[in-house]
Amino acid sequence: MAPMSEGNQQSIEALSAEHRMFPPPAEFAANALTNDRTLFDEAAADHEGFWARQASELVEWSRPWDTVLEWDLPYSKWFLGGQLNVSANCLDRHVAAGNGDKIAIHWEGEPGDSRDITYAEMLDEVSKFANVLTGLGVEKGDRVMVYMPMIPEAAVAMLACARIGAPHSVVFGGFSAQSLADRIDDADAKVVITADGGHRRGSVFPLKPAADEAVEKTSTIEHVVVVKRGGNEVDMVDGRDHWYHELMNGASADCPPVPHDSEDLLFLLYTSGTTGKPKGIMHTMGGYLTHTTYTHKYVFDLHPETDVFWCTADVGWITGHSYIVYGPMSNGCTQVMYEGVPNYPENDRFWEIVAKYGVTKFYTAPTAIRTFMKWGAEEPAKHDLSSLQLLGTVGEPINPEAWMWYHEHIGGGRCPIVDTWWQTETGGIMISPLPGVTTTKPGSATHPLPGVVAELVDDDANHVETGGGYLTLTKPWPGMLRGIWGDPQRYIDTYWGRFDDRYFAGDGAKIDDDGYLWVLGRVDDVMNVSGHRISTAEVESALVSHPSVAEAAVVGATDATTGQAVMAYVILRSGAADVTPEELRTHVAGEIGAIAKPKAIFITPDLPKTRSGKIMRRLLRDVAEGRNLGDTTTLADASVVDELQRRANEAP
Ligand code: 6R9
């Protein structure tokens, strides 16, 4: 990790100055669940007491806990002795409260088919599937892989696992057979739940063949359950493979929710670290459910009677776990789940869906927003988006231009925006505005939520009052990871090795004179040019502020003279005026300063992204430094890098 010097911190601070401020709209604040400092004050006065109150108010327990928190650094355990059933919190309690007929999921298939599923139907389906899993020999503690398209059965599978206490490990449907096999091996999983295929970009993508390949490469899988969705031909192995609908036909819907211990494992979710081997992040029941229910309620100012929530993530990522399955369903709200891509059949599909279901709260990623900008404001303008009340973003820093575009063209200038910083490891949102309380600044995630304590520190762990630093968390929170599956040492080294007694998961940030936090991204995305620390995000933001630029990715490439050199890849807006790399370099120099001026700018039709939409900077660095490309299997579209390499080779 590069050191962060005093001078570097000053340069980070000087780099950008965003002065626009957006207080909560008066009408929004008046109707908000919280519009004053009460939650902040309570949490500051009594951290454990605050979380205990959330746990008792928001979650239903079958046995109360004895101890709120056991903090044996670096391990935290929450609500010890308490027992609950997570799926009963997500389903049974809403049905018992008379909300069985309420829509849990408005599901929209990519080809245009749709299904509305009530809470009572969901409970029925989950109970049956829990019985199916038990019938296949799945016992409490057994790991179950879920490898599915975005169909309701993915949520059913997860909740059924939760019901019987069998930890699920969801693997994003875009991952390869090899990735699935690696995760099966690491988790020693017993069952795979998959589908024949799903719909994406107008055609069927097969999943079952990849599942077959993964199962053949590994030795622990006893059964494969297959949901029929794509309609594509699949091979079924006798005795091992079962059609979901056939098993469900004979299943009983009577499956009383057994209580589990608060600290029982709810799921593993694999995420990539700095080494090649993915880490199985462990989350447990009571703390995770408390954290996701609380954050979903307050960050999205949830009014479950009237809200229609839509999180556009895939359930294969933590955002889908926390803000499609667990948070929204624990809060008993109605939500939209969509199977496909935003540009099928046309570029306005998302806005058509918002209008169709009257979506009130919409949560997506900055990369999606920049794509929408590229497609043009006329796409959302084709639809009535007046139902929207609040917008959210997650996954990477949002540049102020994208924030403003989102605010104006999606939010109609009236919706607060919550820029939410968190990680697979944190389980739920950590830093975000509270929409009825916080005055926002475009591009800033603002402040830690009540109950979250963050601190910026320098290389020597000294407190940073203003300027750049490392983003650390100093107090345990209920949703924090409980470790890395099978590798306790890696947990300690990765998160607790850099600073004593602080959680550090790799992000740099700065704090401005008003105390606002600006997450700059992973510290390995922070460049060091001639001893000056420059965030890739800030150069990207400067590039995107040029009227002709739609999207930009910036990396630091090794340079003999300056240590690192700024290299930029730029996608131009369609229909925008032509612009030369030299003009863009001058523009960046004007926005930030000559020190941030890219050494080279490549104009490109596309950028290499993971299937979750994160730009793969590692590959861009490889291209910039003329190296052979390593593993490209997690790319959404591998042809993009070939084209980039071709252009780089042609460059003078
Ligand atoms: C939820 C999720 C975590 C990393 C994280 C950071 C980046 C997420 C962000 C953000 C700036 C935000 N990140 N939200 N950076 N502003 N609002 O994305 O989890 O896939 O584990 O990624 O994403 O770098 O460390 P995960």
Side-chain angles (χ1 to χ4, degrees):
M1 191 183 306
M4 182 173 291
S5 75
E6 191 70 13
N8 291 340
Q9 285 177 34
Q10 284 161 6
S11 67
I12 288 179
E13 217 204 335
L15 284 178
S16 76
E18 174 60 55
H19 296 299
R20 286 169 288 200
M21 308 268 264
F22 293 85
E27 201 191 314
F28 187 97
N31 295 312
L33 297 178
T34 176
N35 53 20
D36 60 23
R37 307 289 310 167
T38 313
L39 288 177
F40 288 96
D41 294 343
E42 279 178 14
D46 179 3
H47 187 74
E48 282 181 38
F50 174 80
W51 282 115
R53 186 165 74 77
Q54 302 310 324
S56 67
E57 281 179 10
L58 304 178
V59 172
E60 202 173 83
W61 299 79
S62 19
R63 183 189 186 280
W65 57 84
D66 306 314
T67 311
V68 176
L69 168 66
E70 191 186 282
W71 182 216
D72 183 9
L73 202 122
Y75 290 101
S76 79
K77 291 182 178 165
W78 287 84
F79 313 119
L80 275 124
Q83 293 190 326
L84 75 166
N85 186 290
V86 169
S87 86
N89 271 277
C90 293
L91 303 168
D92 307 49
R93 67 164 159 166
H94 309 312
V95 175
N99 289 322
D101 291 339
K102 182 174 177 173
I103 305 289
I105 299 177
H106 291 296
W107 177 77
E108 177 89 1
E110 194 189 72
D113 51 338
S114 63
R115 282 162 68 187
D116 282 346
I117 305 167
T118 65
Y119 272 96
E121 287 164 345
M122 208 56 199
L123 173 58
D124 225 55
E125 190 95 351
V126 167
S127 300
K128 281 187 183 172
F129 195 56
N131 284 330
V132 163
L133 289 174
T134 304
L136 293 175
V138 177
E139 289 173 11
K140 178 165 173 161
D142 288 342
R143 276 79 59 208
V144 174
M145 308 306 287
V146 177
Y147 185 58
M148 305 264 266
M150 279 290 286
I151 54 177
E153 287 78 3
V156 169
M158 292 163 74
L159 290 168
C161 288
R163 199 167 186 87
I164 60 174
H168 54 71
S169 179
V170 184
V171 176
F172 174 55
F175 275 133
S176 63
Q178 186 58 51
S179 306
L180 177 60
D182 292 343
R183 287 156 176 77
I184 291 173
D185 263 342
D186 192 78
D188 283 329
K190 204 169 187 177
V191 169
V192 176
I193 304 161
T194 186
D196 49 357
H199 294 264
R200 207 178 156 76
R201 233 177 280 285
S203 47
V204 170
F205 72 95
L207 277 169
K208 176 67 166 54
D212 288 339
E213 202 183 318
V215 171
E216 275 146 33
K217 285 183 168 172
T218 54
S219 56
T220 54
I221 298 297
E222 296 171 12
H223 295 282
V224 178
V225 181
V226 188
V227 178
K228 206 180 199 70
R229 166 62 187 155
N232 46 313
E233 276 291 317
V234 296
D235 296 330
M236 298 292 278
V237 175
D238 235 15
R240 185 195 77 180
D241 297 354
H242 318 268
W243 284 107
Y244 175 91
H245 58 271
E246 287 175 5
L247 294 174
M248 291 292 272
N249 265 341
S252 151
D254 183 26
C255 180
V258 286
H260 300 292
D261 287 337
S262 177
E263 282 296 334
D264 282 345
L265 191 61
L266 178 61
F267 64 83
L268 297 178
L269 183 60
Y270 285 83
T271 182
S272 38
T274 46
T275 69
K277 188 175 149 52
K279 310 174 269 195
I281 302 299
M282 295 161 65
H283 283 291
T284 57
M285 299 195 174
Y288 173 81
L289 192 70
T290 300
H291 190 143
T292 51
T293 310
Y294 158 75
T295 49
H296 181 253
K297 174 171 170 162
Y298 287 106
V299 172
F300 298 102
D301 187 49
L302 194 74
H303 295 262
E305 321 73 47
T306 48
D307 267 330
V308 179
F309 181 75
W310 184 18
C311 164
T312 68
D314 189 285
V315 290
W317 310 113
I318 191 68
T319 304
H321 282 58
S322 301
Y323 302 105
I324 295 178
V325 179
Y326 292 109
M329 299 192 72
S330 175
N331 280 319
C333 85
T334 295
Q335 66 177 321
V336 169
M337 183 177 185
Y338 171 56
E339 180 183 33
V341 297
N343 55 345
Y344 185 85
E346 301 294 340
N347 290 350
D348 63 341
R349 184 67 185 273
F350 271 20
W351 319 123
E352 185 187 285
I353 293 173
V354 167
K356 175 173 174 185
Y357 295 108
V359 171
T360 56
K361 312 278 162 80
F362 180 72
Y363 192 30
T364 197
T367 183
I369 297 165
R370 291 191 299 266
T371 304
F372 301 139
M373 288 172 77
K374 195 166 65 181
W375 292 341
E378 51 292 359
E379 298 298 339
K382 288 177 189 160
H383 299 276
D384 177 5
L385 304 184
S386 62
S387 59
L388 288 171
Q389 296 168 13
L390 178 144
L391 306 174
T393 77
V394 58
E396 53 178 321
I398 180 163
N399 49 297
E401 280 61 36
W403 196 103
M404 289 303 297
W405 191 92
Y406 197 30
H407 177 71
E408 202 171 311
H409 296 289
I410 307 304
R414 69 180 182 278
C415 302
I417 295 181
V418 290
D419 171 359
T420 64
W421 176 87
W422 58 293
Q423 307 173 306
T424 304
E425 292 87 341
T426 68
I429 298 169
M430 301 294 281
I431 301 177
S432 164
L434 282 183
V437 182
T438 314
T439 293
T440 54
K441 296 187 185 189
S444 166
T446 72
H447 310 290
L449 290 177
V452 173
V453 187
E455 189 183 19
L456 287 199
V457 295
D458 67 13
D459 269 316
D460 303 319
N462 298 312
H463 173 79
V464 170
E465 189 63 33
T466 57
Y470 299 110
L471 179 54
T472 68
L473 300 165
T474 55
K475 282 200 175 161
W477 64 98
M480 77 187 287
L481 75 164
R482 299 302 196 263
I484 296 176
W485 179 256
D487 201 347
Q489 192 56 43
R490 189 174 180 192
Y491 169 67
I492 293 168
D493 296 345
T494 307
Y495 305 105
W496 306 89
R498 179 63 180 81
F499 300 108
D500 286 341
D501 303 353
R502 288 168 185 280
Y503 170 90
F504 174 62
D507 281 313
K510 68 177 181 184
I511 187 157
D512 69 16
D513 292 338
D514 302 326
Y516 279 66
L517 282 166
W518 301 74
V519 181
L520 299 167
R522 314 292 303 187
V523 283
D524 38 14
D525 290 342
V526 177
M527 301 168 291
N528 192 324
V529 182
S530 304
H532 299 285
R533 189 168 285 255
I534 303 165
S535 155
T536 54
E538 289 193 278
V539 181
E540 286 165 9
S541 185
L543 284 165
V544 175
S545 74
H546 189 283
S548 297
V549 173
E551 178 146 27
V554 167
V555 295
T558 308
D559 185 281
T561 319
T562 55
Q564 278 190 311
V566 181
M567 302 294 235
Y569 299 83
V570 164
I571 305 181
L572 296 182
R573 237 175 243 247
S574 60
D578 241 3
V579 64
T580 63
E582 192 47 41
E583 283 171 67
L584 292 177
R585 294 178 68 232
T586 310
H587 176 75
V588 172
E591 290 287 303
I592 305 177
I595 128 177
K597 208 167 154 176
K599 183 176 174 193
I601 294 184
F602 302 101
I603 292 175
T604 164
D606 217 336
L607 287 167
K609 288 184 184 158
T610 63
R611 295 183 184 99
S612 68
K614 288 195 168 69
I615 294 169
M616 288 192 75
R617 290 197 170 68
R618 177 179 66 75
L619 286 181
L620 292 174
R621 269 194 299 273
D622 288 348
V623 172
E625 297 177 359
R627 258 194 309 279
N628 277 339
L629 301 186
D631 180 16
T632 57
T633 53
T634 56
L635 272 178
D637 178 1
S639 68
V640 173
V641 274
D642 298 340
E643 175 66 12
L644 278 176
Q645 273 190 315
R646 199 183 58 72
R647 285 172 192 239
N649 291 337
E650 276 172 14

